[in-house]
Amino acid sequence: MSKIKIVTDSTMDMTKEMADQLGVIMVPLSVSINGETYLDRVDIQPKEFIETMKSLENLPKSSQPSAGTFLEVYDQIGAEGYEVLSIHMTGKMSGTVRSAQSAAQMTKTKVTVLDSKFISIALQFQVREADEMAKQGKSIEEIVHRLEKVQENTKLYIMVDTLENLVKGGRIGKGRAFIGSLLNIKPIASLEGAEYNPVTKVRSYTQVVKFLAKQFAEDVKGKTISGVGIAHAEAFELSSKIKDAIFELTGYSDIPIEYTGSIVSTHAGPGALALMYYTE
């Protein structure tokens, strides 16, 4: 029986302390602010990053870990007698999974790289499942098969509070953003098929709460809830209201609320939040 070590990246929105406690290796992405480079969740913490970002004229630039960084990690783990399951944020939003695949071809360690097709706590769901199964002595094949099922049964909904970062990042034009701001529009999208898909637009935080709680209740009806989480970029109060509304509708209360890291915050902007869950 092989010993398996789980490797992931910092976009799973887990503190380094928690990852260390689990025994999971978390490789940080980096973010560049005014020419200075910081490792996500190592050199700069989520709350500090959001405060810094608000004052910037230009968006910070995020970068995936290099193949060399992954290679070093894989070599070290292999030297300790483990094989590796490396699970990363969706390859449609970052080159992280490709860096990991390049390193996997260079190392002598047996490495399996998996694109989670998600990000944030939805990536964390898969990392936690994999870690638990590895500790139970399951094989890589068994774990990957299970994670593919988790992917199929995971939902992620994201709400963007301000369109400013989408403009700075070149994702929408200033005219559309201006109109959106006048109308106080809050776009809600899902991450289906590993891609950002607009779902609806609402005009108040009350409607955000109502929509997400109702969507959750519909999606989990008749199913077993395996995990839920909310990640936010300075939107704790709104996240708490969503958690309360879900409890009122469904009686489900085990919903951790976490700060999202610098990578998601850069693109989604202050006030953004995401509700994620998976079912059996």
Side-chain angles (χ1 to χ4, degrees):
M1 184 181 72
S2 299
K3 295 192 299 178
I4 297 165
K5 183 69 85 171
I6 308 303
V7 173
T8 187
D9 60 70
S10 59
T11 65
M12 73 163 171
D13 288 340
M14 182 187 283
T15 64
K16 189 174 183 306
E17 292 72 25
M18 178 63 78
D20 290 346
Q21 207 174 314
L22 284 176
V24 166
I25 308 295
M26 188 166 72
V27 180
L29 277 76
S30 60
V31 63
S32 177
I33 303 170
N34 294 332
E36 292 283 326
T37 300
Y38 303 85
L39 292 176
D40 183 37
R41 292 186 177 269
V42 177
D43 301 325
I44 193 162
Q45 296 305 315
K47 194 172 171 62
E48 180 192 356
F49 174 79
I50 293 168
E51 286 303 319
T52 304
M53 183 177 65
K54 283 180 185 174
S55 64
L56 299 176
E57 203 169 302
N58 298 312
L59 276 188
K61 289 185 170 57
S62 58
S63 304
Q64 72 258 22
S66 67
T69 301
F70 278 118
L71 180 60
E72 213 173 286
V73 171
Y74 297 159
D75 284 349
Q76 176 64 45
I77 293 171
E80 292 168 7
Y82 290 90
E83 65 175 291
V84 173
L85 177 56
S86 209
I87 312 165
H88 299 287
M89 71 175 286
T90 169
K92 291 192 176 176
M93 291 185 175
S94 165
T96 301
V97 76
R98 289 188 291 280
S99 284
Q101 286 164 343
S102 296
Q105 290 170 347
M106 293 186 265
T107 183
K108 289 177 183 171
T109 304
K110 188 180 175 191
V111 178
T112 303
V113 178
L114 184 71
D115 183 337
S116 73
K117 298 182 182 166
F118 283 96
I119 194 169
S120 187
I121 296 170
L123 163 57
Q124 194 183 125
F125 293 152
Q126 295 179 44
V127 169
R128 287 181 178 276
E129 287 266 358
D131 178 63
E132 196 175 310
M133 290 180 76
K135 283 170 180 165
Q136 290 167 359
K138 304 291 185 189
S139 69
I140 288 278
E141 292 72 25
E142 287 173 304
I143 298 172
V144 169
H145 180 70
R146 168 66 185 151
L147 298 191
E148 285 168 351
K149 291 285 180 203
V150 174
Q151 289 175 11
E152 286 168 20
N153 293 298
T154 296
K155 299 280 186 186
L156 184 157
Y157 291 95
I158 183 167
M159 184 281 299
V160 176
D161 185 46
T162 170
L163 304 178
E164 195 176 327
N165 280 42
L166 294 174
V167 172
K168 285 182 181 175
R171 283 168 173 76
I172 61 168
K174 286 184 180 176
R176 280 177 63 197
F178 178 67
I179 293 165
S181 299
L182 281 180
L183 298 174
N184 201 25
I185 283 171
K186 315 287 178 201
I188 296 175
S190 70
L191 205 66
E192 292 280 339
E195 290 185 302
Y196 183 92
N197 297 285
V199 173
T200 188
K201 293 171 186 168
V202 297
R203 290 191 184 179
S204 69
Y205 293 132
T206 304
Q207 287 178 343
V208 170
V209 171
K210 197 178 287 185
F211 175 85
L212 290 176
K214 186 173 174 232
Q215 190 67 50
F216 175 87
E218 284 173 9
D219 287 341
V220 305
K221 198 172 182 182
K223 297 172 183 171
T224 302
I225 302 166
S226 299
V228 188
I230 299 173
H232 69 95
E234 259 196 357
F236 181 79
E237 195 179 323
L238 185 58
S239 300
S240 299
K241 286 178 180 173
I242 293 166
K243 178 177 177 172
D244 292 344
I246 285 172
F247 178 69
E248 282 172 27
L249 274 182
T250 66
Y252 191 86
S253 63
D254 186 12
I255 306 173
I257 299 172
E258 308 284 356
Y259 250 102
T260 193
S262 58
I263 311 307
V264 175
S265 294
T266 294
H267 300 293
L273 63 80
L275 169 66
M276 294 152 271
Y277 43 95
Y278 73 116
T279 56
E280 299 296 328

